[in-house]
Every structure is written in structure tokens, then in C-alpha cells.
Amino acid sequence: MYYTDNLDNIQIDDSLYNRQRYVLGDDAMKKLFQTRIFLYGLNGLGAEIAKDLALAGVKELVICDESLVTISDIGTQFFLRESDVGMNRALCTCPRLSELNPSVSVSVFGGLIVDELSILEEFTCVIFVNCLSLSLLELANQHCREAKVAFIAACIFGVFASIFNDFGDTFEILDRNGEEKREFIIEYVSRDERGVVRVFGCHDLEPGDRVTLHNVRGMVELNNGEYDVIEVTSRNVFRI
């Protein structure tokens, strides 16, 4: 997964992405604009993923599906029509998907992916949807891992679903749970090596969370420092 170091030159069109921009932030949006996605599998789940990626504004989306449209696809894949039955899923999906966001390059890979796995190395992220061939998934994942390309495999069967992610050994999670930052009033901080912090109310912290202390009196050296939560002992006490 490679992105340019200079994100300042990338402009964000607020007329298209103003809501998304305030949710994800500018850095994430600018990385999206550089992202090239390969999506294999265009059943109902694949169509939903393709729609979300196109609306999000990725740089390029290449879709691939070797299956032909069946009448049962019409009820789950919203890009397809009855007149598409018997035709290739990806070819029927592409023009309608392209209409969602003209700034996203959408195209079809028409070959057999098992014979051309090396093409996956050209992308930022590869997504396989409802692929039931374990050997194909393993080969695709191996190609992606060696090329430092993010790999996702997702399946859905009725009310059951599964997802597998491989973002490499050095992938860093910056936001583990998506929760907004919260502020607490500190009641007490101990002078222990592993300091005990007691707050008013419930802190909802977990080991591994990070806190920043402000306006601490008596131990001013703690102010503005970031500390890892190493132990949670109660709903209002934790150690740093």
C-alpha cells in the first residue's frame, strides 16, 4: 500500500464529499483518492461494496466476475436487469456503476483471474467476494502479501457472513473502535511508577487505550503527556 508523502497538493471537492470529509478527515480522504481497488465477485454483497467504493471516491475500481447473470441475481444485485440474464455480471454492472461517480475510473478485467494473479500486485487493495475456492484465495493472498497489497476476502450466505483481512505485518490501527475522544475530570493521580488514575464518573477505557493529561496540579510534568492505559481496575480507576 503506497501513498504519496505529499498530500497537501490533493484537492477535495466539497460539493461531492463534504459529509464524508468531516467523518473520515482530510488525510483519509486524500489517501482514498490515490487508492486503486480490484474487486472480484459481483453478487449482492459485491455490488454493495462496489457502490460504496465508487461513492467514496477511490481513484480506480477494477471489477471482475466470471459468472453469467441468472434470474436469481436480479433480486440481490441492484445493478442488474432481467435483460442481462445470460450475460457477464461485470460487463453488465460496469456502466451503471460508473454513473455513480464520474471522478472514479471504473473498468472490467475480462480475463481468468486464476491465470493472471500477478495483476493483483498493481493495486492498493484486493477484495474477493464469495469466492468458494480456498486454493484461489490462498494464491491471491500470497501474491498480495508479497507485493504489500491489502487483501480482503468476504462471504455472505443468508444470515451468516465471514470476513478475512490481511493488511501485512506492519499495518497500524490508529482507531480501534471508532469511538469519539472523551474528556474526564481527574480526581486523583498516584506517584507510583505505574500511576493510578481515578476519575469522576465512568471512564469506559480499555488496556491499550491512550490518554492525555492536562492541568494536573502537583505533578506538572504529567501535563500534555500521552500515556498508555496498562490496566483497568474499576469503572473509574486505571493505571498508566
Side-chain angles (χ1 to χ4, degrees), residues 186-198 212-227 238 240:
I186 297 174
E187 180 182 357
Y188 167 81
V189 181
S190 76
R191 294 183 177 271
D192 301 333
E193 181 179 355
R194 296 185 174 183
V196 176
V197 181
R198 184 167 63 238
T212 303
L213 303 184
H214 299 285
N215 301 322
V216 177
R217 297 180 180 178
M219 290 186 287
V220 295
E221 64 274 10
L222 296 178
N223 287 325
N224 303 316
E226 292 189 354
Y227 306 92
F238 57 91
I240 57 175

Side-chain angles (χ1 to χ4, degrees), residues 120-138:
L120 303 180
E121 301 169 10
E122 303 175 6
F123 294 88
T124 315
C125 179
V126 170
I127 305 171
F128 272 62
V129 179
N130 270 56
C131 177
L132 302 183
S133 171
L134 181 59
S135 61
L136 177 56
L137 288 174
E138 290 176 340

Side-chain angles (χ1 to χ4, degrees), residues 79-136:
F79 289 115
L80 301 178
R81 309 289 183 267
E82 285 190 40
S83 58
D84 298 328
V85 172
M87 302 173 64
N88 179 268
R89 274 181 182 173
L91 289 175
C92 294
T93 299
C94 185
R96 295 155 190 159
L97 177 61
S98 300
E99 295 173 355
L100 295 180
N101 192 341
S103 65
V104 176
S105 172
V106 181
S107 60
V108 174
F109 174 77
L112 293 176
I113 191 61
V114 69
D115 296 330
E116 301 186 55
L117 286 171
S118 59
I119 193 176
L120 303 180
E121 301 169 10
E122 303 175 6
F123 294 88
T124 315
C125 179
V126 170
I127 305 171
F128 272 62
V129 179
N130 270 56
C131 177
L132 302 183
S133 171
L134 181 59
S135 61
L136 177 56

Side-chain angles (χ1 to χ4, degrees), residues 54-87:
L55 293 175
V58 296
K59 179 178 181 179
E60 182 180 7
L61 176 57
V62 176
I63 59 176
C64 176
D65 195 318
E66 296 148 11
S67 302
L68 302 180
V69 179
T70 65
I71 194 66
S72 61
D73 289 328
I74 309 303
T76 58
Q77 217 273 39
F78 43 76
F79 289 115
L80 301 178
R81 309 289 183 267
E82 285 190 40
S83 58
D84 298 328
V85 172
M87 302 173 64

Side-chain angles (χ1 to χ4, degrees), residues 136-192:
L136 177 56
L137 288 174
E138 290 176 340
L139 285 171
N141 185 204
Q142 180 181 347
H143 273 77
C144 291
R145 172 168 273 270
E146 292 174 353
K148 297 182 179 180
V149 173
F151 179 81
I152 301 173
C155 292
I156 187 167
F157 302 98
V159 297
F160 299 97
S162 67
I163 187 168
F164 170 82
N165 300 324
D166 184 355
F167 299 147
D169 295 329
T170 59
F171 180 74
E172 182 181 4
I173 298 176
L174 301 177
D175 187 349
R176 296 192 307 149
N177 52 26
E179 294 182 358
E180 296 288 337
K181 294 181 179 179
R182 298 178 59 188
E183 293 187 354
F184 309 97
I185 299 177
I186 297 174
E187 180 182 357
Y188 167 81
V189 181
S190 76
R191 294 183 177 271
D192 301 333

